[in-house]
């Protein structure tokens, strides 16, 4: 069965990111100051973020130029390939056509460098010396460490302790790139110490690690904070995925009926979906979007759309998003990543406005789909990416049941070479499904801030 | 610093492999039957190998067509990129120009699928149902498991026990692709049982694992044996690397003065070097070739060019090669791969005829060069590949000392995402240098067969 690949030349690398805010009929809800509850000003964020990134966060310009220095770095592995999954279609015996965009060809093996590189670039351009950030399984931390090394910045990564201990290899990659990695909660910050004093055995969460990194940036004038998902400017940087995919679908002489992305903070989903949604909003063809999240962290499908903090220590501004509450700590035996308590405000807004469906899938189904994909297509997906694979497989089987030949596009956001333990556990029958219980969700949500 | 990348379109994928045997002024020494000591006939090999592969093993045709079904699979990740390592040049402050061919973009992360795919293809085409092979760290086993899955073949991999236990993740990748992986020496074969009865704690070697796989193939009519390096037809399949690199150097308007490859069995070195050497032998530009091997397994630099067995149980034909003796077992604390006791006859011949230099480098220098490369270029090399990096760095520093602006090309044969433990050990100061002692070499060589 022939490989069907759509490859773009270097000069097809997008020159501008696409900003969905320009085309949304309903504007994003305001971001609120955590102390006053009033909308924040851009200047409130300057202790934390590079100015250029704050501008992008609030911009409603449709197209924002990608600096040449950023494009030059991205060109090392971009444009990434788009494939038709012919062998998978055959295995599923589906009349659907399945396309996937493959972001695992980046040096760190995921889509995260798409935003790590511009974030490091803008910070260096503004004279910053050091970056603090958080990471869960480590896709983001390793990508940022790489980007910081390229631009000569120090990189300090707070890594969720359970991952720090269970997954030393992404940490090793950060250290190989010259980054410094600290298990969170740690005794290096007030927020970390506060949590450890209450619970010395706390295994951490993204919300806690964000608190620590934000605190370091807020207290050190030469340091800024970077986030690997959630924020508008991160969604913006990831649109390079969907923009390339648009050109590649055109090469294929086809257009997606449905686009599937997995969602943790939302950035790879936004990256592939937003340029197509923008087309639709500007009068182009309608496309069904599908966000797939783990049943163990069902932010979009079980969490309300509400104002909440981005972190556990409540240091960040309040943003309106689908959330399970900033105190949410995902179950330790969930192996599939995508563990953030909230969801990007832009993704939450898109789902809230009815432009996208959302679906939670259990991890066993995801790993099974990941293996089916690997055996058909050769590429072993990251556990996060198996959620998108599982969603695409569900859609392909629906097409089969309905006898419809729809075109399905999904984002394969990273390879699974760092995640073999999860596949071993799955193949050994050690993984179980875990749906986050309704009662616990209700309890966590009772703690949402009153706005 | 701009990324400088040379990317070929799909239609530039080579249509033929290049066979160096056509251009060698001195023919390869004959392969001898292990029982008779007389040159073997092709028919002696038919119980072990697919017929098409045996034909290629003995062929002196210059160009051998790549089947369309093979090219179609290879196109999933080929043509692979060639880069100019501008940031590395800057770090080294060298007047040399450094280019590298990057094979880590394949689904299994190394150059091994270049031969796994055609080997699986030919076996399936000849009605074989099952493949037996061996693997060391697992690059080859995982690549063959992937290729077998694509062509619907069963895949049985004997994995050197020390790696099986210390490096479960490549094994997990084989299993993800549906392959079966057995620690060698095992009790599933006569040769495995013979070794275990003498030494129940034997941690294995490639030579032992080859014995087991060869035995399984010899005893089962529906099973054939595949080898991931050493043999002429494997060198042939890997020439796709150098053929692409020739086109890419032409795009760059440059030509290498020196080409560096790391050598274990010799296939990735042969892959990048042989097409350029062929040019030279046909009257083209002279190029200096440099094979880099680990000081812990100094086959080319310390082993004589002699007839020896390919495996420990002495089941294979006798081939003339640089060898440390088929009883050689590399030191367990060597982390850099490239542990085979012998060397591809073609590579041995090329070195023996004076067409290539060879150099042994200690593992600490290799890991150090690997980190320097990762921090400059973003890509973390596999430990094997760090030998080529270290060789290229030595050449670049020589150019600096001599004030010469030579063009250096090396083969970055795989990424290090499966090898983070080795990098962690290196960064923690746990690795030591180990030069295989002269006395042990002399003892091992005393056991070479009398031919």
């Amino acid at each position: 069965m022939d490989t069907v690949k759509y490859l773009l030349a270097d000069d097809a690398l997008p020159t501008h990111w696409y900003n969905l805010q320009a085309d949304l009929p309903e504007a994003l809800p305001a971001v609120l100051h955590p102390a006053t509850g009033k909308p924040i000003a851009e200047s409130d964020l300057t202790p934390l973020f590079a100015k250029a990134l704050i501008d992008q966060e609030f911009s409603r310009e449709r197209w924002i130029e990608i600096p040449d220095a950023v494009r030059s770095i991205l060109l090392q592995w971009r444009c990434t390939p788009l494939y038709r999954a012919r062998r998978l279609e055959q295995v599923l015996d589906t009349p659907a056509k399945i396309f996937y965009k493959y972001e695992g060809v980046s040096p760190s093996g995921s889509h995260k460098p798409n935003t790590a590189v511009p974030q490091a670039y803008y910070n260096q351009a503004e004279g910053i010396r050091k970056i603090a950030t958080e990471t869960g399984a480590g896709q983001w931390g390793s990508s940022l460490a790489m980007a910081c090394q390229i631009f000569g910045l120090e990189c300090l990564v707070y890594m969720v302790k359970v991952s720090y201990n269970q997954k030393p290899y992404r940490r090793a990659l950060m250290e190989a790139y010259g980054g410094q990695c600290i298990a969170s909660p740690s005794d290096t910050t007030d927020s970390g110490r506060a949590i450890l004093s209450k619970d010395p055995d706390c295994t951490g969460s993204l919300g806690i690690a964000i608190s620590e990194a934000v605190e370091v940036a807020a207290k050190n004038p030469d340091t800024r904070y970077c986030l690997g998902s959630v924020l508008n400017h991160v969604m913006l940087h990831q649109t390079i995925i969907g923009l390339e995919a648009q050109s590649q679908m055109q090469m294929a002489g086809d257009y997606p009926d449905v686009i599937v992305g997995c969602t943790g903070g939302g950035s790879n989903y936004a990256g592939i979906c937003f340029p197509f949604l923008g087309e639709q909003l500007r009068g182009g063809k309608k496309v069904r979007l599908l966000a797939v999240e783990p049943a163990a962290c069902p932010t979009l499908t079980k969490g309300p759309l509400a104002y909440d903090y981005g972190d556990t220590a409540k240091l960040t501004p309040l943003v309106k998003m689908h959330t399970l509450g900033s105190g949410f700590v995902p179950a330790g035996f969930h192996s599939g990543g995508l563990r953030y308590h909230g969801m990007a405000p832009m993704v939450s807004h898109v789902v809230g406005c009815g432009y996208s469906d959302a679906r939670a899938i259990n991890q066993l189904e995801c790993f099974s789909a990941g293996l089916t994909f690997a055996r058909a297509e050769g590429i072993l997906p990251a556990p996060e990416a198996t959620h998108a694979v599982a969603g695409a497989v569900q859609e392909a089987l629906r097409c089969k049941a309905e006898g419809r030949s729809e075109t399905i596009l999904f984002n394969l956001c990273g390879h699974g070479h760092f995640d073999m333990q999860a596949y071993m556990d799955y193949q050994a029958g050690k993984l179980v499904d875990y749906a986050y219980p309704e009662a616990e969700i209700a309890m966590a949500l009772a703690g949402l801030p009153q706005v």
Side-chain angles (χ1 to χ4, degrees), chain A:
Chain A
M1 179 72 69
D2 286 1
T3 292
V4 184
K5 176 176 68 172
Y6 302 95
L7 209 57
L8 298 169
D10 282 3
D11 58 12
L13 184 77
T15 55
H16 292 71
W17 292 298
Y18 167 66
N19 183 7
L20 181 66
Q21 292 194 70
D23 291 313
L24 280 173
E26 298 125 288
L28 282 175
V31 176
L32 307 182
H33 195 288
T36 64
K38 305 274 181 237
I40 56 166
E42 295 198 18
S43 60
D44 291 327
L45 297 175
T46 47
L48 288 186
F49 296 102
K51 230 192 120 336
L53 295 169
I54 300 173
D55 288 346
Q56 293 177 358
E57 189 68 16
F58 289 92
S59 173
R60 300 203 58 172
E61 262 185 85
R62 181 172 291 127
W63 299 102
I64 295 178
E65 193 169 6
I66 308 176
D68 282 344
V70 170
R71 294 181 76 240
S72 164
I73 303 293
L74 297 181
L75 273 174
Q76 186 178 345
W77 64 92
R78 304 202 75 87
C79 305
T80 63
L82 180 95
Y83 293 105
R84 170 105 180 256
R86 292 281 291 276
R87 296 193 295 263
L88 179 66
E89 293 169 15
Q90 200 173 38
V91 168
L92 300 175
D93 188 25
T94 176
K97 287 177 278 182
I98 307 175
F99 293 84
Y100 64 100
K101 180 78 169 158
Y102 183 43
E103 291 290 307
V105 292
S106 84
S108 62
S110 78
H111 67 295
K112 294 292 188 185
N114 295 334
T115 184
V117 171
Q119 290 193 50
Y121 164 77
Y122 287 120
N123 274 287
Q124 189 239 23
E126 296 180 19
I128 298 305
R129 227 179 42 81
K130 188 167 177 175
I131 300 293
T133 194
E134 77 296 318
T135 199
Q139 283 193 345
W140 166 242
S142 53
S143 300
L144 188 63
M146 179 189 82
C148 283
Q149 182 62 236
I150 290 172
F151 288 102
L153 298 168
E154 282 182 59
C155 183
L156 174 64
V157 184
Y158 286 93
M159 185 171 186
V160 176
K161 194 175 279 175
V162 61
S163 297
Y164 183 94
N165 290 327
Q166 285 176 2
K167 299 178 180 178
Y169 292 161
R170 284 260 182 204
R171 163 163 57 102
L173 185 58
M174 291 175 226
E175 290 169 352
Y177 286 137
Q180 187 191 351
C181 186
I182 296 178
S184 167
S186 76
D187 61 4
T188 65
T189 64
D190 289 342
S191 44
R193 283 186 292 268
I195 284 164
L196 288 174
S197 72
K198 276 188 262 178
D199 178 8
D201 299 325
C202 176
T203 55
S205 70
L206 274 173
I208 294 170
I210 292 173
S211 294
E212 296 206 273
V214 165
E215 186 184 323
V216 169
K219 287 182 174 166
N220 294 284
D222 66 346
T223 304
R224 290 289 179 278
Y225 170 68
C226 284
L227 187 60
S229 190
V230 180
L231 299 175
N232 301 345
H233 66 266
V234 180
M235 306 297 123
L236 177 77
H237 299 159
Q238 293 292 358
T239 59
I240 201 164
I241 302 171
L243 293 167
E244 287 179 7
Q246 286 182 315
S247 301
Q248 289 164 311
M249 289 304 302
Q250 200 162 17
M251 287 171 76
D254 209 331
Y255 200 87
D257 296 295
V258 52
I259 306 177
V260 185
C262 63
T263 49
S267 75
N268 95 76
Y269 161 92
I272 190 132
C273 289
F274 283 5
F276 288 93
L277 177 56
E279 280 287 323
Q280 172 184 322
L281 292 172
R282 295 194 301 278
K285 207 180 157 203
K286 192 169 158 36
V287 59
R288 193 161 72 87
L289 308 181
L290 176 58
V292 180
E293 62 186 10
C297 185
T299 317
L300 282 169
T301 54
K302 295 280 175 72
L305 189 54
Y307 272 100
D308 196 6
Y309 297 96
D311 72 322
T312 304
K314 307 186 178 179
L315 299 176
T316 70
L318 287 161
V319 292
K320 195 161 182 188
M321 60 180 175
H322 280 278
T323 178
L324 296 167
S326 64
F328 171 83
V329 177
F333 47 81
H334 168 60
S335 292
L338 310 172
R339 296 152 162 266
Y340 186 56
H341 72 272
M343 181 55 60
M346 288 185 79
V347 173
S348 297
H349 190 66
V350 160
V351 172
C353 292
Y355 298 124
S356 175
D357 296 336
R359 186 181 295 170
I361 303 185
N362 277 308
Q363 70 176 353
L364 294 185
E365 181 174 346
C366 292
F367 278 103
S368 168
L371 284 185
T372 300
F373 183 83
R375 290 176 188 183
E377 299 294 321
I379 299 169
L380 189 79
E384 292 82 358
T386 64
H387 291 78
V389 177
V393 167
Q394 286 186 354
E395 291 298 305
L397 294 177
R398 174 187 59 74
C399 288
K400 181 179 177 181
E402 295 174 357
R404 295 158 73 99
S405 171
E406 292 183 14
T407 296
I408 300 165
L409 167 65
F410 75 92
N411 194 18
L412 190 71
C413 61
H415 70 57
H417 294 180
F418 286 99
D419 306 284
M420 298 315 299
Q421 190 62 50
Y423 276 99
M424 287 174 76
D425 291 346
Y426 171 71
Q427 295 228 74
K430 289 182 190 168
L431 295 189
V432 293
D433 279 338
Y434 175 81
Y436 196 60
E438 305 277 351
E440 279 187 36
I441 294 177
M443 210 165 67
L445 294 178
L448 283 183
Q450 301 302 313
V451 176

